[in-house]
Amino acid sequence: MDVVDLATLATFVLAYGLISGHVERIAVLSAPMVFVGFGLLVGSEGFGLLDAPINDKGVALLAEATLGLLLFSDAVRIDVARLQSEFGLPLRMLAIGLPVSIGLGTALAAAIFDVPWPIAALIATILAPTDAALGQSVVTSKSIPARVRQTLNVESGLNDGIALPAVTVFIALALQDQDFSTASSWIRFTGEQIGYGALVGIVAGTIGGLAIRTASQRSWMDGVFRQLSVLGLAALTFAASTAAGGNGFISVFVAGLAFGSTARDICPHVEEFTEDLAQLLAMMSFVIFGALVAGPSLDQLDWRIALYAAASLAVVRPAAIALSLLGSKLRMPSVLFLGWFGPRGLASILFGVLALDEAHETDLGPMFVVMSWTVLASVVLHGITADPSVARYAKWWSRHGAEEMAESLPMREQRHRRSRRHNT
């Protein structure tokens, strides 16, 4: 990427910012749709203003920085103590729904594309994480039960970090750049990636958080540098984990959790600062996606790619979520609502770019084109259905909802009320 590319991105970010309030009032448009559309317009298939190769080091660096900052930002926002009482539904969707989604997606990719199972698993895992930003009204509308909104928000915030170890392992398996001749070598590689990454994240996030807390309490630290120091902590964590043989992205996510638990209250604006910066990088990444990924993939669509993209959005995810929510007491409209709103967005884009960057000349089959078309379809479909679906679900809830329903009460409270009724 050169200065002209950067100026193109910056100019559009500024121009969109000037009219963003008006655009957001147009129900059929979302910011990701606008930025992807602009990328298509200025990319190689459009005016050619943004025409860097997808394996350009600048693109890879933007992808790594965006993913790392998003993971850290998501983790810092998570209140672990509060989450313990409300984690029933997100835990089901993450612990059951996510693996089932990867498993179903792997089987489907292997059947449709006839590729080796590591590539099929890589395709499925790249498309497993969700992006709540593609249906922002879903997680912000007060007409939706708070528990349903929080479930989607927590799932979206955590599933990219949870899927990351699997993405890393499947990339290595697909590229055969590790010795996986024995089960012990596979387990050792996975353990090093996750174990070292998590250990470095815990140590760096805790020590960094305590250091910033101590310096702030003793008035050694200026307010602005509380925020800048947090960015330095995230970058240091990534570098230290990579040097130690762990996965830098896993480490950054765990560091965000540790930092949030130790210093969130002493840095009241760090969440907004990291989230705003992550959002800026995310929108730039959507432009890059439109220009350098989706654009060149437009003429590569065939029935197999269309079938997989449709099934990934409308069958694999809803089926996995429905299975994970068995026994949760949620009504069918809620299950369908949670199943449909699993938009594929930034995490899938960044995972795909990272896989391509690692692959160099290795053929990953249809992985990149499948990712491109699935994300492009999701940006459009989830963007235009968000408001109508919220209105329809809210109407159902206003007619049939009640405080004692599972949509309103944590599972612990449901059990408590049932037990109390039984005892009386």
Side-chain angles (χ1 to χ4, degrees):
M1 297 181 68
D2 57 22
V3 175
V4 174
D5 297 331
L6 183 60
T8 302
L9 287 171
T11 300
F12 186 70
V13 170
L14 174 60
Y16 179 79
L18 296 175
I19 60 171
S20 57
H22 178 68
V23 173
E24 289 174 3
R25 288 191 288 271
I26 302 175
V28 296
L29 290 178
S30 65
M33 291 172 65
V34 174
F35 278 79
V36 170
F38 177 73
L40 289 170
L41 185 66
V42 300
S44 57
E45 303 303 309
F47 293 120
L49 298 178
L50 194 61
D51 195 18
I54 189 58
N55 58 354
D56 183 271
K57 288 301 180 182
V59 175
L61 181 60
L62 175 64
E64 291 181 355
T66 303
L67 181 57
L69 191 57
L70 280 173
L71 289 169
F72 189 86
S73 176
D74 286 343
V76 169
R77 288 191 291 110
I78 295 171
D79 188 338
V80 178
R82 182 181 178 185
L83 199 58
Q84 290 176 352
S85 63
E86 290 283 351
F87 204 61
L89 295 182
L91 180 61
R92 284 170 169 265
M93 293 168 66
L94 292 167
I96 301 174
L98 185 61
V100 170
S101 179
I102 293 174
L104 291 176
T106 299
L108 186 65
I112 292 178
F113 300 113
D114 191 25
V115 292
W117 78 264
I119 293 180
L122 180 61
I123 292 172
T125 309
I126 284 175
L127 292 173
T130 58
D131 186 351
L134 297 185
Q136 193 65 27
S137 60
V138 176
V139 295
T140 58
S141 174
K142 299 300 182 182
S143 60
I144 301 298
R147 191 172 185 227
V148 173
R149 285 187 280 115
Q150 178 172 293
T151 294
L152 286 171
N153 206 19
V154 171
E155 183 211 13
S156 176
L158 293 178
N159 57 16
D160 45 5
I162 294 173
L164 186 57
V167 171
T168 302
V169 170
F170 291 138
I171 288 175
L173 286 169
L175 301 182
Q176 298 181 343
D177 61 354
Q178 298 287 334
D179 178 16
F180 292 118
S181 57
T182 63
S184 60
S185 61
W186 189 92
I187 294 172
R188 183 175 64 255
F189 174 77
T190 306
E192 288 175 352
Q193 288 286 294
I194 299 175
Y196 290 160
L199 180 61
V200 171
I202 291 172
V203 172
T206 302
I207 294 178
L210 292 175
I212 291 175
R213 168 180 286 277
T214 301
S216 298
Q217 289 175 336
R218 296 184 179 181
S219 299
W220 295 348
M221 203 170 196
D222 181 73
V224 173
F225 279 94
R226 292 182 192 176
Q227 301 173 12
L228 296 178
S229 297
V230 172
L231 293 181
L233 174 62
L236 176 61
T237 302
F238 186 94
S241 178
T242 303
N247 186 284
F249 297 109
I250 295 173
S251 191
V252 166
F253 182 77
V254 174
L257 289 174
F259 177 85
S261 298
T262 56
R264 183 189 296 109
D265 60 324
I266 207 70
C267 300
H269 302 296
V270 70
E271 294 178 51
E272 293 86 349
F273 176 71
T274 55
E275 190 170 358
D276 288 347
L277 184 54
Q279 189 70 9
L280 172 62
L281 293 178
M283 291 302 105
M284 293 175 68
S285 297
F286 276 120
V287 175
I288 294 295
F289 169 72
L292 308 183
V293 180
S297 300
L298 291 178
D299 61 352
Q300 300 184 47
L301 179 67
D302 59 27
W303 70 268
R304 296 179 303 168
I305 293 171
L307 177 61
Y308 189 89
S312 177
L313 297 176
V315 179
V316 172
R317 154 82 183 189
I321 294 303
L323 181 64
S324 72
L325 295 176
L326 289 175
S328 66
K329 307 297 182 182
L330 291 179
R331 304 303 196 272
M332 184 54 66
S334 300
V335 174
L336 295 175
F337 187 78
L338 290 169
W340 170 244
F341 275 103
R344 310 315 195 277
L346 195 60
S348 296
I349 296 170
L350 300 177
F351 286 159
V353 171
L354 291 175
L356 192 68
D357 184 58
E358 291 286 334
H360 301 296
E361 300 300 323
T362 304
D363 182 16
L364 293 178
M367 181 276 296
F368 206 65
V369 179
V370 173
M371 180 276 291
S372 302
W373 271 101
T374 305
V375 172
L376 186 60
S378 183
V379 168
V380 175
L381 293 175
H382 287 104
I384 64 178
T385 61
D387 287 341
S389 297
V390 166
R392 190 176 300 113
Y393 181 69
K395 185 177 181 180
W396 171 82
W397 179 250
S398 67
R399 291 180 176 178
H400 305 283
E403 289 185 1
E404 65 272 11
M405 288 171 58
E407 285 82 353
S408 297
L409 291 176
M411 300 181 74
R412 182 184 301 175
E413 180 63 20
Q414 295 178 48
R415 291 193 295 268
H416 176 70
R417 291 196 177 192
R418 287 197 298 267
S419 176
R420 189 167 57 188
R421 287 197 299 266
H422 177 75
N423 293 333
T424 56

